[in-house]
Structures are given as structure tokens and as C-alpha cells.
Amino acid sequence: MRTPSSKNRRLLQGNEAIVEGALTAGCRFFAGYPITPASEISEMLSVRLPQVNGTFIQMEDEIASMGAVIGASLAGIKSMTATSGPGFSLLQENLGFACIAEVPCVVVDVMRGGPSTGLPTNPSQGDVMQARWGTHGDHPIIVLAVSTVLDCFDITVQAFNLSEAYRVPVIILSDEMVAHTRETVALPPVDRVEIIDRVSPSMPSEWYVPYEGNSRGVPTMAAFGEGYRHHVTGLVHDVRGFPTQRADEIQAFISRLFQKITQGFYEIQITKSFMMDDAEVAVIAYGSVARSARRAMSDAREQGIKAGLLQLITLFPFPRRSVESVLRQCRAVLVPEMNMGQISREVKRVNHFACQVEKYNRIDGELIRPDEISGKLAKL
Amino acid sequence: MTKEVTKLIHKYLRHDKKFPHVWCPGCGNGIVLGALIRAIDRLGLEKDEIVLASGIGCSGRMPVYVDFNTLHTTHGRALTFATGIKLAKPSLTVITLMGDGDATAIGGNHFIHAARRNLDLTAIIINNQIYGMTGGQHSPTTPYGCYATTATYGHIEHAFSIAELAVTAGAAFVARGTVYHARLLDELIEAGIRKPGFSVVEAMSNCHVQFGRRNQIEDPVTMMKWLRDHAVATEKARKMKPDALEDKFTIGVLADLEKPIYTDEYQKVRDRAKSLARQ
């Protein structure tokens, strides 16, 4: 954790830190629709974006917000929207467009209890699988989870960087608890933050092949109006961007979409380990639950339990390597979640070892407390 | 004349790429595309400055044929993508192209809000009163009593009048033409693109394959004649009694208002935001 220097110390809530992260990353367009518990992000960006020649617009719904975000990104501007469960469901259609047309953009889902209107003011982690598979069809996507206010800043910057580097939508999963927790954080000076921008073409326009991947499988991206006239479509397309029904071209296209992410696993799959070196039992957690788990670790250690924590920042592509090494090392793993076990199922999927995987779930709109986790650990 | 047409084809169509097109022989979509190209040519706009965005359906395939910055979005959402593009780069001329189901059923909410918001966009809506590509299901503009594959026993709903809807929603410029009145359509599209603010041009068109076939008007020529006989110029309609207009529709300019443009207003927001931040 960064040591707060007095100069940069600020009292922020999670939603505010996402705003700071987005602006630092170069986000200059936001379209959104009011929804609890994400509204502060819209409100703050409506103040901040016009100050930096950016644009904020409140659209008629989340479908429209996602459309506008994609449009602005196609015109060359880094763009974002933020919502919660019901709005996240609505924007899934256009999120799929961003996947197939490879339009960089960031979507923040501040999770609240569901399904439907559910529990608008309570935290939950019920949207994990929707973040991965919410839009129809086979598609790669990157899903990151924030756990603290400082995370909200750092991971939002990372979300934009990954989105620009891989031309893929990136989803940030926050929850009501992280969003509304206020804490003092030290944000890094803007010039100390690494910012990645999409690669634009430099060749003569007649040489430009808009959907031809480079060595990493990522095509260069020309903004509308820069002289590289091309076609962008939600239909499966050939390298020139035109619709195709040729099986060989379809196969090559969808494969490249996946391969560009697979090739980047080392960079994309982010996890953090706490006290894992000599751990015999471990917790695998993410989001606000990971914060409880960190406290639970020190409590468990005091009780003489050799416990460690693997915090997942990247939920998808599922950080299999890090999880497997924990499963290999430990005799038992606990996966606490504020849902019915969406990530524990993923952990079990990759458990080819003699490790006992237990889940612990709360779906009552309450945060999982450290003592609940350490209590469960003691019984493993 | 032929030479002129050939010149336009060479200048604006991606003729070596995606032809032959997907439209049925006799379809009105080609007439609308021709009108759009002629309007753009007369306006002298650079191809790099134009973004043509469409939704889904037969009309949605139009952008792929023309050499602009082209975008084929999701069903009903063309205006939302166009909104993002225009806000990100106001110097671009952004034109959306939609069908009747696209613009007023699945995209109806976006349509009325775009009209209210008043970005400098041009929305061309091809109204053939049916879902053509999916096989002839009834749309929000299918007339009462007509037949469709989902109205086998006769349609019991009532149709939207798209242009009038746009007027009520506050669009700065609203016009209606038909694919029969081709020269008028050229002029209306040109006026729509030229007009600062949100412009709507409804182009009444024929779908003899999916609409006509089930409603005893099976060929394009009969449908064109129907358009000719039921269209009344707006100036003439003003002098006519309401019952004489009962089965007619008006063509020409329905609204032409001066309203503040969103991007101009937003620039003022930026100026206010910056001066307040300095204080």
C-alpha cells in the first residue's frame, strides 16, 4: 500500500476514486443514467469533465449510455459508463457490440442486491457471472474487482489501460460497500501513472486494414474522421470490416478475439497474495469481502492458524495459474462471497489437487465480517 | 445524365467490395441511397467528414455500400452511437439511417429523446410499414386492418405517423418525402443535413415483397402509384378540409425551428465549469 504523504492525502469515497482514476487515465467522455449506488460517479463527472474539455451526458437509459460510449470511443475519445444491476442488464446488448467491433471502453458496475430491483442500497457480488457472460455469444471480456478506495483509483486506471491495449471492453465490479466507504488515500501524481493509449494507424489510408491483428492479435484503431474511412459493424466481419459468412473467416475472426486476450494472460490476470508463503489454509476473495478477509488473516494468525489470502483483482479471464498454486499449496481453501458461490464454482473447476474447497455465502445484503471468515477458517 | 450517375457511383460507392447488394428488385431503399448521395454531393461535403450510422434491418445494410466512415450498430440504437460520435467530434457530419421498426419500435425511446436533445444530427427513416428483413411482421407504422405475418387475421393496432411524432418530440427540422417523389426527397435530405440541429427526414417507401404481397399490392409500380396518389404537399394540405386528408399523408417540410444546438450549449457549460473551477 502506498504511504499517504501529507500533500496528496485526500478523503474520498470509492465512487469518487473511480472518477479520479478515470480522469487520470484520460477518460474524456461519460454517458450514464441515474442509478443507486452508482449515481455519484455521474454527478461528479458532470462537474469534472467539462472542466477538462471532456463531455458528460445523461442519456435516456443505459442502453443509450452504452451506445454513446461506443460512439465516442469510435471517434477517438476514451469513454466510460457506470451503473448498477438493472442498468448493467440493459447495457449488455451494446456491450456485445463493443466486444465484436473491438471498441475500447470501461463499464463500472457498482453491485447491489438482486435479482431485479432487489436491494438498491445494499452490497452484493451477485453480478460476477453476468459480467463474464451477460452479453450473448462467445466473447472474451476483462472483469476487474475493486476492494478499497485506493483500488478504485488504481484499478480504474488499469481498466482503461487494458481496454486500450487489447481493444476490449473492461468491466469494473465494485459494490455498494466499496462505493460509499470513505477513507484517506494518497493518489499518485498524474505524471507518475502509466497511461496506455490505443495504437492508431500511421500508414497511408489505402494500406489500412482495419481488423487485421498485429503480432499481439490487436488491430490498430483509426478514429472516425482521421482519413481512414472504414466500416464498423456488429456482424461478424472480415479483416476489412465487411460482413462475412465464410466459415474460414468467421473461425479466424472469433479465434483472434480470444487469442489476443489469451496471449496477454500474464499481464491481464492480476492477483495479490497476503501471508501466503507458509500458508496451510487460504482464503480466495475479491471486492469488499477481500478486505474483511485481510483482517481475518491477521486474526487467524494470532490464533496460530497458518492462514493466507489470495485476492483476485482480475476475475475474468479467471486467474487460473495463481489459484492453482494456492490449491496445490494448501490443504483447504475458503471462498467467501456475497452471492451463492459464483467464484467458488470457478475455483472448484480448476481444483485438480487434494485441496478441500469450501464456500461461505451471504445473500442478505450484509457484508461478510472478518470474524465470520476467521471462524470458518478455524474449522477447516 | 448517365455519365453523371456513373461519376457519383465511382465517387461514393464501395462498388468493388460489397456488391451485389441485399435488397430485392424494386426496393425503395436504393432510391433513398441515391437521394442521400446526391444530397451529399451537392453539399460538397468531404467523405472523411461524414459518418453514416444505421441500425438493423434492410435499411441497416446501407452504410456498407458507401465510402464514408460507416457504422452498422445494434437494432434501434443508431442514434445513441451517433450521439457519442457527434459529442466526441462535433466537426463530423453525422447521419443516421433507420427503418420504421428500428426507429420507432425498439429505438422509439432514443428517437424522441434525440429529437428533444437537439444535437446536430440528421435522421433518415425509411418507412415501408413492415419488418422486411425478418419476414413481414407488423411494425409501428403498419396501418390498421392490414395483414402481416404476425397479423394474419388483420392488424388491430394503430400506426404512428413518424414525422408528426418527431414534430411533437421537438425536432428542429422535420420533413417527409417518398421514393416516388425522388427529386423532392433529394431536396429534403439536403435540407436536413444542412440544418443545424436534429433533423428528421421520413422517406415513405415500398416493400412489395413483405407488405404488398399480403395486402393485394404485389408489385413495386402499384405501390409507387399508391405513394403518388396518397401524398399531399404540406402547403396544399393546409388549405384542405380534415376529412379530405383522412387517408392521405403530407409531404414536404413539416417543421423548421431555430433551437439552441446541444454542442454549442455544452461548450458554454465547459466555459462555465472552467471559470468556476478557477475561482
Side-chain angles (χ1 to χ4, degrees):
Chain A
M1 210 171 182
R2 219 170 275 130
T3 330
S5 81
S6 59
K7 202 168 68 182
N8 295 324
R9 280 162 68 99
R10 290 177 66 184
L11 180 67
L12 294 178
Q13 63 158 233
N15 279 345
E16 274 180 295
I18 284 179
V19 166
E20 296 300 333
L23 291 170
T24 302
C27 173
R28 290 296 177 270
F29 184 89
F30 180 96
Y33 184 83
I35 190 165
T36 304
S39 294
E40 292 88 353
I41 298 175
S42 282
E43 288 168 357
M44 287 181 276
L45 281 170
S46 78
V47 174
R48 298 287 298 281
L49 276 170
Q51 294 172 349
V52 292
N53 283 329
T55 306
F56 164 88
I57 187 166
Q58 183 173 312
M59 296 298 285
E60 54 272 18
D61 57 30
E62 289 85 352
I63 303 170
S65 304
M66 195 66 216
V69 161
I70 294 169
S73 185
L74 287 170
I77 307 289
K78 290 188 188 178
S79 311
M80 178 173 93
T81 186
T83 186
S84 185
F88 194 48
S89 295
L90 279 182
L91 62 72
Q92 294 294 336
E93 179 200 32
N94 281 339
L95 186 61
F97 186 96
C99 291
I100 198 168
E102 298 174 77
V103 185
C105 55
V106 173
V107 176
V108 180
D109 174 21
V110 184
M111 292 184 284
R112 64 191 222 187
S116 190
T117 312
L119 296 161
T121 56
N122 294 58
S124 148
Q125 295 180 319
D127 301 351
V128 169
M129 278 299 160
Q130 190 187 15
R132 175 63 193 89
W133 292 114
T135 196
H136 59 275
D138 275 317
H139 61 279
I141 203 156
I142 296 174
V143 182
L144 308 177
V146 290
S147 162
T148 65
V149 172
L150 189 59
D151 264 6
C152 287
F153 177 87
D154 289 342
I155 290 170
T156 302
V157 172
Q158 231 148 5
F160 274 97
N161 284 349
L162 290 173
S163 180
E164 293 284 316
Y166 290 91
R167 287 191 63 175
V168 66
V170 176
I171 293 164
I172 297 172
L173 287 181
S174 177
D175 65 57
E176 190 278 332
M177 194 60 70
V178 184
H180 292 152
T181 297
R182 282 181 191 280
E183 56 184 319
T184 305
V185 291
L187 301 183
V190 177
D191 54 5
R192 296 268 294 279
V193 180
E194 189 198 12
I195 305 297
I196 297 172
D197 297 324
R198 64 193 70 173
V199 180
S200 324
S202 51
M203 70 283 275
S205 60
E206 61 272 22
W207 294 0
Y208 181 54
V209 186
Y211 283 93
E212 190 174 56
N214 61 9
S215 56
R216 294 187 300 119
V218 185
T220 54
M221 187 169 178
F224 281 158
E226 284 181 346
Y228 295 91
R229 292 189 303 277
H230 64 286
H231 187 62
V232 178
T233 176
L235 287 166
V236 172
H237 39 272
D238 60 22
V239 288
R240 297 174 308 163
F242 296 121
T244 181
Q245 292 204 298
R246 268 175 51 183
D248 58 333
E249 288 179 341
I250 299 168
Q251 174 79 31
F253 170 65
I254 303 287
S255 301
R256 180 178 60 73
L257 287 188
F258 278 88
Q259 274 159 11
K260 69 177 180 182
I261 302 299
T262 314
Q263 285 177 18
F265 270 5
Y266 182 75
E267 176 181 58
I268 297 169
Q269 294 176 334
I270 310 161
T271 57
K272 282 185 196 166
S273 294
F274 299 91
M275 301 181 217
M276 274 307 301
D277 287 349
D278 61 342
E280 290 165 5
V281 291
V283 172
I284 296 178
Y286 56 94
S288 50
V289 179
R291 189 168 199 163
S292 290
R294 227 152 47 207
R295 172 62 190 271
M297 285 313 99
S298 26
D299 293 351
R301 288 271 170 175
E302 275 175 25
Q303 292 165 39
I305 304 168
K306 285 190 170 173
L309 166 68
L310 178 71
Q311 181 188 344
L312 309 183
I313 306 286
T314 305
L315 300 186
F316 298 103
F318 188 66
R320 181 177 188 142
R321 250 183 310 190
S322 312
V323 171
E324 279 177 346
S325 76
V326 170
L327 293 168
R328 197 180 293 120
Q329 175 186 338
C330 297
R331 65 176 167 77
V333 160
L334 179 73
V335 189
E337 293 178 87
M338 292 189 286
N339 58 40
M340 290 297 280
Q342 298 188 20
I343 283 292
S344 71
R345 227 171 280 145
E346 287 295 295
V347 174
K348 286 176 184 169
R349 184 172 65 82
V350 299
N351 182 20
H352 309 298
F353 313 94
C355 183
Q356 173 196 355
V357 177
E358 293 294 328
K359 55 180 193 163
Y360 178 70
N361 311 105
R362 274 193 91 147
I363 47 160
D364 57 356
E366 296 291 327
L367 185 65
I368 297 178
R369 297 187 313 271
D371 64 295
E372 293 174 77
I373 296 172
S374 51
K376 281 277 159 191
L377 273 181
K379 289 181 197 144
L380 283 181
Chain B
M1 179 66 190
T2 320
K3 207 175 157 190
E4 287 302 303
V5 171
T6 316
K7 257 191 186 157
L8 288 183
I9 286 172
H10 280 283
K11 185 167 177 194
Y12 292 104
L13 296 191
R14 288 167 171 157
H15 45 86
D16 56 340
K17 292 188 176 150
K18 291 316 288 181
F19 283 84
H21 58 67
V22 298
W23 301 320
C24 308
C27 177
N29 283 5
I31 296 170
V32 180
L33 176 57
L36 174 63
I37 286 172
R38 287 187 290 273
I40 285 170
D41 193 62
R42 276 209 299 271
L43 287 163
L45 297 166
E46 290 295 322
K47 291 194 282 186
D48 282 333
E49 294 169 8
I50 297 169
V51 178
L52 183 63
S54 68
I56 295 290
C58 297
S59 65
R61 295 302 184 101
M62 196 176 284
V64 83
Y65 304 129
V66 282
D67 187 21
F68 304 126
N69 302 287
T70 55
L71 175 61
H72 181 202
T73 73
T74 44
H75 197 16
R77 321 294 180 212
L79 283 169
T80 70
F81 286 64
T83 298
I85 295 166
K86 187 69 185 179
L87 289 172
K89 248 186 209 165
S91 60
L92 293 170
T93 299
V94 184
I95 302 164
T96 65
L97 210 126
M98 299 172 281
D100 43 296
D102 199 32
T104 65
I106 192 163
N109 200 29
H110 310 311
F111 180 56
I112 56 175
H113 285 279
R116 174 182 70 78
R117 201 171 278 133
N118 203 35
L119 262 94
D120 183 15
L121 302 171
T122 305
I124 300 169
I125 301 170
I126 303 178
N127 180 4
N128 61 9
Q129 308 177 306
I130 201 83
Y131 286 90
M133 185 167 269
T134 46
Q137 298 82 9
H138 66 77
S139 88
T141 56
T142 302
Y144 178 84
C146 283
Y147 295 91
T149 51
T150 48
T152 316
Y153 306 109
H155 192 39
I156 58 171
E157 296 177 16
H158 304 277
F160 271 142
S161 301
I162 296 179
E164 282 78 0
L165 176 66
V167 172
T168 312
F173 178 89
V174 181
R176 180 162 43 218
T178 83
V179 293
Y180 175 84
H181 305 83
R183 281 177 189 278
L184 175 68
L185 190 59
D186 288 14
E187 288 163 23
L188 296 176
I189 292 177
E190 187 183 338
I193 297 171
R194 180 174 280 138
K195 173 78 186 183
F198 190 71
S199 315
V200 177
V201 180
E202 178 185 3
M204 298 291 289
S205 185
N206 59 297
C207 182
H208 45 284
V209 176
Q210 300 291 12
F211 181 84
R213 191 150 53 106
R214 294 182 181 86
N215 291 283
Q216 289 77 51
I217 23 175
E218 293 187 18
D219 66 285
V221 176
T222 315
M223 290 198 86
M224 288 269 201
K225 284 181 179 158
W226 187 94
L227 290 173
R228 178 193 66 192
D229 297 340
H230 291 78
V232 180
T234 44
E235 306 80 38
K236 192 177 167 194
R238 275 185 213 113
K239 294 172 203 144
M240 287 167 69
K241 289 194 177 116
D243 47 333
L245 284 166
E246 207 155 83
D247 65 337
K248 303 283 197 291
F249 59 89
T250 53
I251 54 170
V253 177
L254 279 78
D256 191 352
L257 318 169
E258 296 309 317
K259 288 175 73 179
I261 314 293
Y262 190 98
T263 40
D264 297 344
E265 294 294 299
Y266 199 77
Q267 194 48 51
K268 293 180 198 163
V269 168
R270 283 181 183 142
D271 296 341
R272 281 203 288 273
K274 280 181 245 177
S275 81
L276 283 172
R278 274 195 295 271
Q279 279 170 21

